[in-house]
Amino acid sequence: MLIDLGNFTPGLSLTGGLVIGAAAAVLILFNGRIAGISGIFGGLLNWPRDDVNWRLAFLVGLVGAPVIAGLSGKSAQAEIEASWGAILAAGFLVGIGTRYASGCTSGHGVCGLSRGSVRSLVATATFMATGFLTVFVQRHLLGG
């Protein structure tokens, strides 16, 4: 295995993980809500909406943080080698998956596991196994 040391950022990754964990803890402690992005966004689409403010604030922060980092010159560029059709299809499939799994990777992986949820353990294990299998097939069977 080769590690790209130019892009290997364990300190930044650890800091990001700690900030995500702290945000999830603050949200559940002070608001009684789980920081699953699909649930937060989905709640904006449901009627009646009585808890719009915290949902919008969370999503604005989620989108705004990388924008602010980009303006400061500290952003990382990611190149996606896929067509817009493939990206839209993947997003659609992820959306379907989050509905079937009753949540997304952030909800199950960060919040569910920390609460000891067996359902979240199974969901996170499934997400990870699918990711591992996808990388294996892509790299070793399809030669990508």
Side-chain angles (χ1 to χ4, degrees), residues 55-67:
R55 292 176 188 275
L56 281 176
F58 196 95
L59 293 172
V60 166
L62 183 71
V63 174
V67 170

Side-chain angles (χ1 to χ4, degrees), residues 27-144:
L27 187 62
I28 200 161
L29 287 172
F30 293 107
N31 205 4
R33 301 295 186 144
I34 295 172
I37 306 307
S38 62
I40 292 171
F41 180 73
L44 288 174
L45 304 177
N46 294 335
W47 295 94
R49 295 181 293 186
D50 57 348
D51 55 355
V52 173
N53 293 338
W54 76 267
R55 292 176 188 275
L56 281 176
F58 196 95
L59 293 172
V60 166
L62 183 71
V63 174
V67 170
I68 292 169
L71 294 174
S72 72
K74 301 286 185 194
S75 70
Q77 295 291 323
E79 185 175 323
I80 300 173
E81 295 179 13
S83 68
W84 278 106
I87 292 169
L88 291 173
F92 180 72
L93 291 172
V94 167
I96 291 172
T98 60
R99 296 308 273 175
Y100 277 115
S102 297
C104 57
T105 52
S106 62
H108 285 297
V110 175
C111 302
L113 290 179
S114 66
R115 293 181 300 122
S117 168
V118 174
R119 182 176 83 173
S120 290
L121 178 63
V122 171
T124 303
T126 302
F127 298 150
M128 295 301 292
T130 303
F132 296 152
L133 180 62
T134 301
V135 169
F136 178 81
V137 168
Q138 190 70 16
R139 287 192 178 170
H140 301 288
L141 300 181
L142 299 178

